[in-house]
Amino acid sequence: MGIATVNPTTGETLRTYDAHGNDEVERRVAAAHETFRKYRGTSFAERARLMRRAADLLDEDAEDVARTMTTEMGKTITSARAEAAKCAKAMRWYAEHAEALLADEHPAQADVKDSGADAARVHYRPLGPILAVMPWNFPLWQVIRFAAPALMAGNTGLLKHASNVPRTALYLGDLFRRAGFPEGCFQTLLIGSGAVEAVLRDRRVVAATLTGSEPAGRSVAAIAGDEVKKTVLELGGSDPYIVMPSADVPRAVKTAVTARVQNNGQSCIAAKRFIVHGDVYDDFAERFTAAMTALTVGDPLDDSTDVGPIATEQGRADLEELVDDAVSKGATVLCGGSRPEDRSTGWFYLPTVLAGITPDMRIHQEETFGPVATLYQVGDIDEAVEVANDSPFGLSSNVWTRDDADIALFVRDLEAGGVFVNGMTASHPALPFGGVKRSGYGRELAGHGIKEFCNATTVWQRG
């Protein structure tokens, strides 16, 4: 079976790789297991040295890596460069903070005595080889935000990346090897989705993390549950972007455009449902539609391009189905709604704004993975929260208001893993990231993320 790099800008197959066979997968799983036994005993200082070296190498490779991501999945070269820089930053952050984040925790002495011990503490230990099933949309960042904390904690990693980004996947495996991490510490498995179950069921693989679609998450969670193995899932999102009367509308519009079309609209944390109070709805809708219409759609390797292609032909077809379904049921197309006429090759789709969304439309409940925004008009804050929460997803949320009472209510009532006030959702190594409902469970990044794949060990001692 071949795993191919296909350029979404042209539709051209650039290279096909042979998938790893059973013997090679076995060799790599065995290496991850054997390496863990020794690597877990290395000091934080040694792991940090290796992680900083990997970050330095990534900085040196940044331009080549950015071009690889752009040609494999179509993100603009500007955003690809930013992604590489963000990864290096996160690697250095964990190199600096991992030891403190995993320091022993000491309960109050009165509680220690009450337990009957002379001393007690909580000690964090790594679990072992972790399987990471990762998506194509942020092909570097999604992996690094797992790998940096996992390796700093003393685990080893096995990467099953999306099959349309094999060059990025191979680069990641090579990066940690070049940095000096022991052989087997972090390895790429070039396998299809059908081969994941056997790896996950292997007794030497102790846990899994997945970022991807809800069906993929259900599958991995079911297998891991059957094996009683820990999982962290970051699945889809249909994030609300709420604009209240006190908002700075021009700023809210400018940020809304970026929040919707970042990564060509293919981001779980992209704002997708724009819920606007009636007092400012007309102003917001007019400005937002004009700004979306003005975006430059084109070659993602061109620095002037704002929106590149959808990553796969099937992805564009799925997006078109959602838009066509909404329009057939009465939605109004304020801009876009079709493929660009000047693009005869590649999987492009125009930035689109739809109004008049009703609950019977698929787009009301399903995630739009592309530059398509839906507009809702609401009469008050309670209706805004009701519309925002009327989704199976709960990854993050954005609210625009200068009213402290509004902010307090949104923080209390929005069903999401994050509430970003007067800004757009973003991830940072110091802040936990993850969702609720069908957006998954568990957290990545910060101290929460590094502890997900650690054994919180109670140490009780007398005498």
Side-chain angles (χ1 to χ4, degrees):
M1 183 188 75
I3 295 176
T5 289
V6 180
N7 188 337
T9 303
T10 63
E12 176 188 4
T13 299
L14 302 178
R15 183 171 176 180
T16 300
Y17 299 83
D18 292 332
H20 289 153
N22 292 338
D23 289 346
E24 182 60 17
V25 171
E26 163 59 28
R27 187 188 71 79
R28 295 189 180 217
V29 172
H33 176 67
E34 290 303 317
T35 297
F36 170 69
R37 296 185 177 193
K38 298 177 182 178
Y39 180 69
R40 65 181 297 174
T42 59
S43 67
F44 280 107
E46 174 61 9
R47 296 175 206 163
R49 183 187 69 81
L50 296 172
M51 190 62 67
R52 290 190 180 98
R53 176 57 181 154
D56 291 343
L57 289 172
L58 178 54
D59 281 339
E60 294 171 11
D61 300 338
E63 186 62 23
D64 287 342
V65 174
R67 293 184 71 86
T68 294
M69 289 190 283
T70 296
T71 54
E72 282 202 307
M73 56 69 59
K75 68 169 68 248
T76 65
I77 190 66
T78 301
S79 64
R81 290 171 182 141
E83 183 171 338
K86 183 175 184 176
C87 289
K89 175 182 178 179
M91 294 161 82
R92 294 188 177 100
W93 190 89
Y94 271 107
E96 179 179 352
H97 295 285
E99 184 172 10
L101 293 172
L102 296 178
D104 287 354
E105 296 175 4
H106 299 273
Q109 191 58 34
D111 291 327
V112 173
K113 290 184 178 297
D114 191 55
S115 76
D118 295 319
R121 58 193 169 97
V122 178
H123 179 68
Y124 290 96
R125 296 186 290 171
L127 293 180
I130 314 296
L131 174 64
V133 182
M134 294 288 112
W136 48 261
N137 57 335
F138 292 95
L140 206 68
W141 170 242
Q142 302 280 11
V143 177
I144 292 299
R145 76 183 191 188
F146 153 74
L151 293 176
M152 284 303 304
N155 295 298
T156 57
L158 293 162
L159 169 64
K160 189 285 182 215
H161 217 324
S163 294
N164 61 325
V165 291
R167 288 171 59 195
T168 306
L170 291 169
Y171 170 80
L172 283 158
D174 192 50
L175 173 66
F176 291 106
R177 180 192 62 76
R178 290 163 54 209
F181 281 89
E183 192 71 27
C185 232
F186 192 88
Q187 302 169 93
T188 290
L189 303 177
L190 282 187
I191 56 176
S193 57
V196 169
E197 180 171 356
V199 177
L200 185 51
R201 289 191 183 278
D202 192 298
R203 293 183 64 183
R204 294 164 295 184
V205 175
V206 298
T209 180
L210 177 142
T211 298
S213 69
E214 184 183 341
R218 288 178 181 274
S219 176
V220 165
I223 296 166
D226 190 49
E227 295 290 337
V228 196
K229 293 181 180 181
K230 173 72 178 289
T231 54
V232 170
L233 303 180
E234 192 260 279
L235 308 179
S238 189
D239 289 2
Y241 190 102
I242 302 172
V243 183
M244 296 298 289
S246 65
D248 181 333
V249 173
R251 278 186 59 217
V253 167
K254 183 178 180 180
T255 304
V257 173
T258 303
R260 176 59 285 213
V261 303
Q262 60 171 316
N263 210 44
N264 304 339
Q266 300 165 118
S267 170
C268 295
I269 58 170
K272 300 181 177 79
R273 297 177 297 132
F274 295 82
I275 302 164
V276 186
H277 192 284
D279 289 355
V280 291
Y281 178 86
D282 289 341
D283 186 21
F284 181 91
E286 181 179 355
R287 292 173 184 266
F288 184 51
T289 301
M292 290 283 280
T293 304
L295 294 169
T296 299
V297 178
D299 184 352
L301 287 172
D302 187 331
D303 286 330
S304 66
T305 294
D306 298 310
V307 180
I310 303 300
T312 66
E313 190 171 15
Q314 184 60 52
R316 182 176 64 176
D318 293 342
L319 191 66
E320 288 175 323
E321 283 187 12
L322 287 177
V323 172
D324 291 346
D325 173 77
V327 172
S328 72
K329 294 173 181 173
T332 301
V333 180
L334 300 185
C335 70
S338 64
R339 304 176 185 184
E341 294 180 356
D342 61 343
R343 289 281 163 183
S344 59
T345 60
W347 302 312
F348 292 88
Y349 196 79
L350 289 172
T352 299
V353 180
L354 301 178
I357 306 301
T358 56
D360 63 319
M361 299 172 184
R362 289 175 54 198
I363 206 167
H364 179 69
Q365 289 291 315
E366 297 181 32
E367 181 179 21
T368 51
F369 227 56
V372 175
T374 53
L375 274 177
Y376 296 79
Q377 181 175 343
V378 295
D380 56 32
I381 191 169
D382 292 331
E383 187 180 3
V385 170
E386 181 181 358
V387 173
N389 288 342
D390 186 24
S391 169
F393 301 108
L395 192 53
S396 189
S397 62
N398 312 260
V399 298
W400 285 77
T401 178
R402 288 179 279 199
D403 186 314
D404 289 342
D406 284 356
I407 295 170
L409 188 145
F410 286 132
V411 170
R412 185 192 71 189
D413 290 348
L414 286 176
E415 297 169 352
V419 180
F420 285 70
V421 182
N422 298 327
M424 60 179 274
T425 298
S427 54
H428 185 280
L431 299 172
F433 180 86
V436 295
K437 300 197 287 189
R438 292 187 182 177
S439 288
Y441 52 75
R443 289 296 180 265
E444 296 178 289
L445 301 175
H448 301 73
I450 198 171
K451 290 175 180 175
E452 285 282 8
F453 295 116
C454 286
N455 175 358
T457 307
T458 297
V459 181
W460 187 96
Q461 185 175 343
R462 179 184 290 168

